[in-house]
Amino acid sequence: MSDTELVHLAAHMEAAQNLVQSLKAQLERKEAQIQELMLENEALKTINHSILDRQQQCASCAQLLAHQESQVSWTDLPGTAMVALINSPGWGRKESAAVRLVCTQWQAVHDANLTNVQLTAEGSKACELLGRGKFPRLHSVDLRRCGRMGEEGLQSLARASTIRTLQLGDSNHVTDQGMAATAGLSELNAL
């Protein structure tokens, strides 16, 4: 064998060794990935078992709740408890909307006992509802977060004769006519 052939053979052997090392490295990475996947699979099995256990617990709870609800109706909640909820700190528009949708009894208790309301966004539409007289104990209306409060909203609100406190904030949509409409609020003592 000539020197040139030996050099070529050595180069081919070196390339083959590099290829073998590269394949070994790839094999090690694949084995590590398989190990990770196996661990993830075990974790998912554990989570799946936990979910199945929770589903069984929920099914048991749902059966118990269905049994209890067949004996007691949510509409049996005493009006005094509803009033306490309605007038608690943190009670907002979403809570009021949800309560009013439960049943006509809850809507009536809500409407008859709501004392404070804070409006946001579409204040004119809400003021129209408040001005219809459905809320006989309403005494405080906060419009500070109501960026679209206009003259029509205040004119509608002026029909709610029980309002004692009206907070307008920095609404730049309130006109002189809107402010004049608040003169109809005979109980108003804080603006």
Side-chain angles (χ1 to χ4, degrees):
M1 212 183 263
S2 70
D3 287 341
T4 308
E5 290 175 339
L6 286 173
V7 169
H8 283 293
L9 183 61
H12 285 293
M13 284 182 68
E14 186 178 332
Q17 286 176 345
N18 288 340
L19 180 60
V20 167
Q21 288 178 352
S22 173
L23 290 173
K24 281 183 180 179
Q26 287 179 8
L27 181 61
E28 288 174 3
R29 285 193 298 271
K30 293 295 182 188
E31 286 175 347
Q33 288 175 346
I34 289 171
Q35 287 295 327
E36 286 179 29
L37 289 173
M38 289 173 69
L39 290 173
E40 287 179 16
N41 189 34
E42 287 302 315
L44 288 174
K45 283 181 184 178
T46 303
I47 291 170
N48 190 32
H49 288 297
S50 176
I51 289 171
L52 290 173
D53 289 343
R54 296 284 181 180
Q55 285 175 339
Q56 289 172 348
Q57 290 173 355
C58 287
S60 297
C61 290
Q63 289 172 348
L64 179 62
L65 184 60
H67 175 70
Q68 289 176 347
E69 283 183 349
S70 67
Q71 296 174 9
V72 178
S73 171
W74 279 103
T75 59
D76 294 336
L77 181 70
T80 53
M82 179 67 70
V83 171
L85 284 172
I86 292 168
N87 295 312
S88 66
W91 186 266
R93 181 180 55 86
K94 289 180 182 178
E95 292 82 5
S96 283
V99 163
R100 294 182 87 241
L101 290 174
V102 172
C103 65
T104 55
Q105 179 183 347
W106 279 26
Q107 182 179 14
V109 170
H110 172 275
D111 293 356
N113 292 285
L114 185 68
T115 59
N116 303 300
V117 68
Q118 180 181 30
L119 302 179
T120 58
E122 291 293 334
S124 292
K125 291 179 182 178
C127 284
E128 185 178 320
L129 176 66
L130 295 175
R132 291 183 189 160
K134 290 187 174 188
F135 307 97
R137 293 194 178 151
L138 183 65
H139 64 79
S140 178
V141 177
D142 185 347
L143 302 174
R144 290 179 292 181
R145 293 185 181 172
C146 202
R148 297 186 194 172
M149 174 51 57
E151 177 181 332
E152 314 83 41
L154 287 175
Q155 288 173 346
S156 296
L157 191 61
R159 293 190 298 268
S161 60
T162 59
I163 296 175
R164 293 183 288 210
T165 303
L166 178 61
Q167 296 177 351
L168 294 175
D170 296 331
S171 178
N172 56 6
H173 297 283
V174 178
T175 63
D176 289 342
Q177 291 87 358
M179 289 303 295
T182 63
L185 297 169
S186 59
E187 297 292 319
L188 188 65
N189 58 29
L191 180 61

